[in-house]
């Protein structure tokens, strides 16, 4: 499926200065979901790119910012389904740049937070391809803001940890004693499938069963859903509500603030939100 698409057609060549010129690869974070949480820099680069290689979880409508003649290549992965194997993808970026294209490698959130940005850049470095990295609002920051859960708070948490909750063979390989700590907020990415295991491990390593925990699904978008509970009850609540990926799990007493600080009403337009 990849072979014909990776041969970029002549329409994408319109702005290539000469056959020897090597393009630049921009590893760009598209933010957590809402289009207007994209950085100005990301928007400009997307608008100028000859080719855009994009993931599954990118901000809605972001590809509309691209030039109509830009090559758009889907490389996304949905959980265990990898659309394009990583090494093939790395080679694709090199090929596109060598063909003279300026490439935007568009990722959800921030490229350096569970985004494999580092792996892709290594191949670019080894191949002598110029690149830049454009940060994005990572899902933890976006979801926390839009759910009304501050990640740090002087009375609750002096530190925050981002962890992967990816379940492999029924387990999650994490340093649980360092995560099951008081006065720490832990944000689990990719953790919906492993939620029961996460809660079990956090309790087994010392947190009380009534330690607050929340799930934010489709954060920052009109489909955002927030559920708050505690480590003992969150898995059943999430299952009953039918929460699916993409969702983040936030563990910490900061979750208690949500009821008071929640402001985002996904059903209404939030740009000029004026609710009392
Ligand atoms: N690089 C991305 C993370 C990629 S891992 C970033 O910085 O945000 C993908 C995981 O991010 C998902 O499984 C989910 O846990 C989380 N995620 C991404 N977008 C999300 C959203 N809008 N709402 C909730 N979780 C989200």
């Amino acid at each position: 499926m990849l072979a014909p698409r990776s041969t970029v057609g002549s329409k994408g060549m319109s702005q290539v200065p000469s056959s020897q010129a090597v393009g630049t690869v921009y590893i760009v974070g598209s933010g957590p979901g809402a289009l207007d949480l994209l950085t100005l820099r990301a928007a400009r680069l997307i608008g100028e790119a000859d080719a855009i290689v994009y993931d599954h979880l990118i901000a809605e409508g972001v590809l509309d910012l691209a030039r109509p003649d830009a090559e758009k290549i889907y490389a996304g992965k949905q959980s265990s389904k990898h659309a394009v194997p990583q090494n093939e993808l790395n080679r694709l970026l090199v090929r596109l740049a060598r063909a003279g294209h300026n490439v935007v490698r568009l990722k959800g959130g921030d490229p350096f937070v569970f985004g494999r940005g580092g792996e892709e850049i290594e191949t670019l470095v080894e191949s002598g391809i110029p690149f830049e990295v454009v940060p994005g609002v990572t899902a933890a920051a976006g979801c926390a803001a839009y759910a009304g859960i501050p990640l740090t708070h002087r009375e609750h948490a002096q530190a925050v940890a981002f962890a992967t909750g990816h379940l492999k063979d029924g387990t999650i390989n994490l340093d649980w004693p360092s995560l099951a700590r008081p006065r720490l907020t832990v944000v689990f990415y990719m953790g919906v499938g492993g939620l029961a295991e996460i809660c079990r491990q956090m309790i087994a390593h010392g947190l009380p069963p009534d330690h607050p925990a929340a799930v934010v699904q489709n954060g920052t978008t009109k489909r955002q859903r927030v559920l708050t509970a505690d480590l003992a009850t969150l898995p059943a609540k999430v299952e009953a509500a039918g929460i699916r990926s993409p969702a983040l799990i936030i563990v910490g007493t900061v979750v208690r603030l949500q009821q008071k600080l929640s402001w985002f009403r996904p059903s209404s337009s939030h740009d000029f939100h004026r609710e009392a």
Side-chain angles (χ1 to χ4, degrees), residues 29 31-34 55 57-58 77 79 107-116 136-143 162-163 187-192 215-221 224-225 244-249:
D55 274 356
L57 279 180
I58 53 168
K77 57 179 190 318
S79 195
K107 293 167 170 295
D110 181 89
F112 278 4
V113 180
F114 304 121
R116 299 184 184 222
V137 176
T138 190
C143 292
F162 297 167
V187 183
F188 293 93
Y189 289 67
M190 300 169 278
V192 189
V215 164
V216 184
Q217 180 185 23
N218 290 317
T220 78
T221 76
Q224 172 172 303
R225 289 166 81 196
R244 301 264 176 280
S245 180
L248 275 192
I249 300 154

Side-chain angles (χ1 to χ4, degrees), residues 65-108:
L65 303 175
R67 287 192 346 237
D69 64 330
E71 186 86 0
K72 300 182 193 77
I73 302 168
Y74 178 65
K77 57 179 190 318
Q78 262 170 303
S79 195
S80 55
K81 277 183 269 163
H82 290 245
V84 180
Q86 188 68 45
N87 57 357
E88 212 171 298
L89 187 57
N90 298 347
R91 286 201 300 269
L92 168 65
L93 296 177
V94 171
R95 251 194 339 262
L96 287 167
R98 286 210 174 125
H101 300 299
N102 283 323
V103 183
V104 162
R105 173 71 182 101
L106 195 58
K107 293 167 170 295

Side-chain angles (χ1 to χ4, degrees), residues 6-276:
S6 63
T7 314
V8 175
S10 56
K11 61 191 165 112
M13 306 280 283
S14 52
Q15 299 196 350
V16 176
S18 82
S19 56
Q20 290 103 312
V22 172
T24 299
V25 176
Y26 300 92
I27 312 277
V28 176
S30 76
L35 181 60
D36 53 2
L37 290 176
L38 194 73
T39 64
L40 291 174
R41 183 165 177 75
R44 179 172 66 71
L45 291 169
I46 293 163
E48 291 172 0
D50 302 308
I52 299 179
V53 182
Y54 64 98
D55 274 356
H56 170 56
L57 279 180
I58 53 168
E60 281 170 2
V62 69
L63 292 176
D64 298 343
L65 303 175
R67 287 192 346 237
D69 64 330
E71 186 86 0
K72 300 182 193 77
I73 302 168
Y74 178 65
K77 57 179 190 318
Q78 262 170 303
S79 195
S80 55
K81 277 183 269 163
H82 290 245
V84 180
Q86 188 68 45
N87 57 357
E88 212 171 298
L89 187 57
N90 298 347
R91 286 201 300 269
L92 168 65
L93 296 177
V94 171
R95 251 194 339 262
L96 287 167
R98 286 210 174 125
H101 300 299
N102 283 323
V103 183
V104 162
R105 173 71 182 101
L106 195 58
K107 293 167 170 295
D110 181 89
F112 278 4
V113 180
F114 304 121
R116 299 184 184 222
E119 295 170 43
E120 287 169 21
I121 291 170
E122 272 180 56
T123 312
L124 298 175
V125 170
E126 286 155 15
S127 310
I129 306 290
F131 68 89
E132 291 183 18
V133 183
V134 180
V137 176
T138 190
C143 292
Y146 275 61
I149 302 172
L151 292 177
T152 66
H153 187 286
R154 279 189 292 172
E155 284 161 29
H156 291 272
Q158 285 77 38
V160 54
F162 297 167
T164 167
H166 186 65
L167 196 61
K168 205 175 166 208
D169 305 326
T171 61
I172 304 166
N173 186 16
L174 285 172
D175 180 9
W176 293 107
S178 74
L179 295 176
R181 310 285 306 170
R183 307 190 72 77
L184 171 71
T185 304
V186 188
V187 183
F188 293 93
Y189 289 67
M190 300 169 278
V192 189
L195 177 62
E197 172 69 2
I198 289 169
C199 292
R200 198 180 68 74
Q201 291 283 7
M202 294 295 260
I203 295 170
H205 288 85
L207 289 180
D210 66 353
H211 194 70
V215 164
V216 184
Q217 180 185 23
N218 290 317
T220 78
T221 76
K222 289 194 170 69
R223 288 165 291 117
Q224 172 172 303
R225 289 166 81 196
V226 181
L227 286 185
T228 61
D230 55 36
L231 290 173
T233 57
L234 189 64
K237 205 169 169 179
V238 162
E239 179 146 7
I243 299 278
R244 301 264 176 280
S245 180
L248 275 192
I249 300 154
I250 304 176
V251 177
T253 61
V254 286
V255 169
R256 287 203 190 108
L257 300 165
Q258 194 267 344
Q259 219 177 353
K260 196 169 169 189
L261 304 186
S262 155
W263 59 272
F264 178 51
R265 305 283 171 266
S267 49
S268 59
S269 162
H270 65 279
D271 289 342
F272 297 98
H273 187 64
R274 291 278 183 275
E275 238 173 50

